[in-house]
Amino acid sequence: MKNAGNAQLMNHSYSLKLSLFILLLSFQVKAQNFQKGFTDGYRKTLSNDRTGATQGFGDGGDPSKCDHWGGTYADGFTCGVKQATEYLQDRKKELARKEQNRPKELTINDINFDKPLENILDDIENRKQNIIQNIEPNTNEQAKREYIQVLETNTDQLVRVVTNRWNNLHQNNTGAETANNSNAELRYNPQYVQQLMQQQQQSQNNYNKEFESSLNELSSSMRGLSNSMQAMAMQNIKMELERRKNVANTFISEHSNRLNKLSALYKKIPESKFKQNLTGVYNGYFIMKKKYSFSNENELQTEIDCKIVIKNNVVKNIYLYGKKAFEIENPSKYPENSLLVNGIARYYDYDNLQESTIIVLEPYLNANSKNNLIISNEGAGFLTIWSNDKKDKGKKIYIQEISSNGAIIREYETGIIYAKNAKEIENSTDVLKIPFNTNTSFLFYGEVTNTPYGRFPLFPKISKKNNEPLSDNEHRYVEIKKYRE
């Protein structure tokens, strides 16, 4: 009996231990499931974030702070989502505080032109250095270099525009008309148009040098390929880069030739001819200095024929290509720059830091030139660039008009508009309608970016139909399906 009692006691003890083991194992399994749910919920919430509020997975969270710690997988997942959401909110607030306190680039509106020019330029340089010193420490080196490069370019442009404007405001002039005209420095100078393009040949030389380096590197890479498919892909890349080089050089050379012809004609005009008073609609030439997606950060001088409405030697309207849809707002935005001086009016776009020049020749060359030219209401359609991806909003798109022989006629830079779907963008009443010529096809490019073969803009993914010419007054909505960078 005693042995039977001992056996029963041992069985009871074994059962108790087995129950405790099973219970402990159950707790461990539940704890593991809870931990997995927490980690999955936390990481999924942060990885789905598209605001840039965090990188990676934050600090990983703290499961012990959960209300149902040790519960089911679903309990852990819910708590992980909650903690990650709170982390994101705190991180966004922190980034917003940093952004608010981070020094911003100076704009033309921040400049006090009553100060000496030397002090203004010091302020601009000090602000640039302050911005560089306050770059986010975690920024990778490549992004940091690109940001500083853009900052340097913007600063150089601002210095140039500020210097020109300061000189205009502080020059010693006589006569009320001259004193009120910001183009007063445009004295009679037969070499003026030639001076506008002095940088053109150097820009082209720089461009070709950089491009040749990229092509040579690509050719070297191709020689080491044994796979025929890879070699074919590289050959296609090389052909595309060659095409870009050729059309860019054609574009640069064509505009250089136009400027040379303008210079030759302008030099034929005696100073006395500029004394006449112009009123009417005349042919003119719009010269603009700007950077293009294909110019490798080099500024180019380009010329577009236009029709100009003039009243008592004051430019009232400018219509590029002589078309109503291509009116530019310089005369109304900068009326102080609109008085023709020796056939020339020069504008400084302080918002975009761009210079442009209007030149009128015909009435000074030919006393019988027409002054009642017609502004066309036809010959233009419109594009609007949009995407249903929020992170693409505002990204740059370069649109090139291409002639029937493949040459670049014009390039326009714009930003992507966000819309949920095609219906929303097409029903919007305030979208940006960009005018383009009919009978020209299109190529679309994204931001200039680093590639294994140099810095080039990539093609975004769009419907091929968008490359086709516009019809008169057509408004085409171009969806960017994927922005490649």
Side-chain angles (χ1 to χ4, degrees), residues 5 25 70 101 119 130 230 273 314 364 374 380 384 394 410 425 453:
L25 182 63
N101 295 328
N119 293 352
N130 198 3
Q230 287 182 323
K273 292 288 186 180
V314 176
Y364 307 115
I374 303 301
T384 295
R410 168 177 175 247
I425 189 73
Y453 323 108

Side-chain angles (χ1 to χ4, degrees), residues 353-364:
L353 298 179
Q354 287 184 351
E355 295 179 33
S356 59
T357 302
I358 289 291
I359 298 180
V360 179
L361 295 179
E362 287 185 11
Y364 307 115

Side-chain angles (χ1 to χ4, degrees), residues 165-218:
R165 189 171 181 183
W166 191 94
N167 287 332
N168 289 341
L169 292 172
H170 291 270
Q171 60 187 333
N172 296 319
N173 296 317
T174 58
E177 182 181 276
T178 305
N180 291 326
N181 174 32
S182 294
N183 280 329
E185 76 276 17
L186 294 173
R187 301 286 183 259
Y188 179 64
N189 180 2
Q191 306 299 323
Y192 177 73
V193 181
Q194 187 72 27
Q195 292 169 1
L196 285 176
M197 59 167 294
Q198 286 179 345
Q199 295 178 345
Q200 192 85 330
Q201 187 60 51
Q202 185 60 46
S203 294
Q204 189 168 11
N205 292 340
N206 292 341
Y207 172 80
N208 285 325
K209 183 178 179 181
E210 293 164 4
F211 220 116
E212 285 299 329
S213 175
S214 298
L215 287 173
N216 290 337
E217 185 175 338
L218 181 59

Side-chain angles (χ1 to χ4, degrees), residues 25 324 366 427 483:
L25 182 63
K324 192 79 172 177
N366 180 7
N427 289 338
Y483 190 92

Side-chain angles (χ1 to χ4, degrees), residues 76-88:
F77 191 92
T78 300
C79 185
V81 170
K82 180 182 177 183
Q83 283 198 24
T85 302
E86 291 172 350
Y87 172 85
L88 279 176

